Structure formats: C-alpha cells, structure tokens
Amino acid sequence: MGFMSVLSFAHKLISERLTLGDRAIDATVGTGADTLFLAKAIGTRGEVYGFDIQATALRLAEERLRLAREEAPSLATVTLLERSHAEMAEAVPANWHGTVGAVMFNLGYLPSGDADKNIITQPDSSIAALEASLQLLRPGGIITAVLYPGHAGGDKEAAAVESWAAAVSQKVAQSIVYRQLQRTDSPYMIALEKKKESPLKL
C-alpha cells in the first residue's frame, strides 16, 4: 500500500484543520494545484491569497482555477499576486493577521515543461515568508512546507527551513517532519501547528 506522498500528507493535515469560510495562503503558487486545493477546502465564503514571482506560474494557476470553476463553482475567492512570498505580511489585508487557517509552501522551481528551472526559491526569502506565516496564523492554524533537497540549491534551502522550524519555541508552535529516511534526496515535508494559546511575540 505504501505511505502517502508528501503532498498528499500536507493536504491531509490541512484538511483536518481548515473549516468552511476560513482564510488561507498559497505562498508558492506554481501551477496552482495547492491554490485550488485550498479554494475547495474553504468554500465560497473563504478567501485565498496566492504568491509567485513568475507571471507564467500565475497564468497557469488562473487557467486551472477557471476550469475548476466551470465544474465546481463553490470555490473560495482567490487573489493571485506577482510578488515574493516574503512580502505576504504586507500584501494581505491588515485584518488577516492572526486569522489565517493555513499557509502552504511547495518550494523549489516551477514544475512546468517550459519553465526556467534555474529560478528557484531561496533560503532567505523562504525563511522570511515562514516567519510572516507564523504571525498570520490563527491559533490552531497550520503551515506546511514541502522541501526538495534533490535539486541544486534545494538542499541548502531544506536545511535552512528545517533549522528554522526546529528553533521555533514550543510555546509558539509544534513542528513535525514527514520524510522517507532511506533516500536523503527525496522530497519531504515540515509542518507547524500554532499553539491554541500562543504568545504574540516569537
């Protein structure tokens, strides 16, 4: 039977915590798969913000969402921005701070045939985005980050994210790792759940 893929496990964790009408963020839109997942999970009363620095990614995501709405119109309102995920705290409305149910990261490069694989997420901006995500989350909210140590630069980013997550105070959030141990270059996932009663300052 096998274990769940890292993406499926991320979706499972989020599905168990999101409710209809929630707010959610896709920090790395890519082709829009996670954006669509979030939009379905929280329904028409919910809102999703998505971030990507590549216009190509946003076009792919917009088309995916358009086709999905033709089949199932009960999706959340989605706002896609051509901005770095590190800027999410400034980009979302002020009243989102402390109210977001889930933030998803799928790091690495755009998984599209004609995309430039040299354009990858970077440790500094990803860590800044994770810090912002933790502030945006509501108590009980979740962050998932899928990491790809198998591509050039991905190992450094994965190590940086893992170190950051391990250093987050247990009074703020608990963190877990979901990983295949026999393959060190396989994708893996880190998740953080914000404590129900978390201090405002990290």
Side-chain angles (χ1 to χ4, degrees):
M1 182 175 169
F3 293 111
M4 284 185 175
S5 71
V6 290
L7 291 172
S8 295
F9 191 57
H11 286 187
K12 179 179 186 296
L13 293 177
I14 288 173
S15 295
E16 293 170 349
R17 288 159 177 80
L18 280 182
T19 59
L20 293 175
D22 251 335
R23 291 167 170 164
I25 294 173
D26 186 353
T28 51
V29 167
T31 63
D34 289 337
T35 316
L36 177 57
F37 161 74
L38 293 170
K40 286 180 177 178
I42 58 181
T44 53
R45 292 185 293 111
E47 296 178 84
V48 178
Y49 265 76
F51 296 86
D52 207 292
I53 61 170
Q54 296 186 73
T56 301
L58 299 181
R59 286 195 297 270
L60 291 169
E62 285 169 354
E63 179 63 11
R64 185 189 291 266
L65 290 165
R66 184 188 67 78
L67 293 173
R69 288 186 194 282
E70 291 178 358
E71 296 182 5
S74 57
L75 298 180
T77 300
V78 178
T79 302
L80 299 177
L81 299 177
E82 191 177 343
R83 295 181 65 170
S84 168
H85 52 355
E87 300 172 4
M88 69 171 70
E90 299 83 44
V92 301
N95 64 356
W96 273 49
H97 289 245
T99 70
V100 174
V103 184
M104 296 193 75
F105 290 78
N106 197 344
L107 300 174
Y109 52 76
L110 177 61
S112 176
D114 56 351
D116 184 352
K117 302 297 191 294
N118 292 314
I119 301 176
I120 61 173
T121 51
Q122 299 293 329
D124 288 349
S125 58
S126 292
I127 296 300
L130 287 161
E131 290 278 6
S133 298
L134 206 48
Q135 296 287 359
L136 290 168
L137 282 187
R138 59 168 165 73
I142 186 170
I143 298 168
T144 61
V146 176
L147 310 168
Y148 297 87
H151 69 80
D155 54 343
K156 292 180 180 179
E157 182 173 50
V161 171
E162 192 169 338
S163 294
W164 171 82
V168 172
S169 170
Q170 293 183 57
K171 294 179 181 179
V172 175
Q174 60 176 337
S175 57
I176 63 167
V177 176
Y178 182 70
R179 184 170 197 170
Q180 183 178 343
L181 295 176
Q182 294 98 331
R183 292 179 53 207
T184 57
D185 63 343
S186 63
Y188 68 104
M189 188 208 69
I190 287 175
L192 293 92
E193 183 179 47
K194 194 167 186 178
K195 290 288 188 179
K196 294 292 175 68
E197 294 182 5
S198 175
L200 294 177
K201 299 296 183 182
L202 297 182

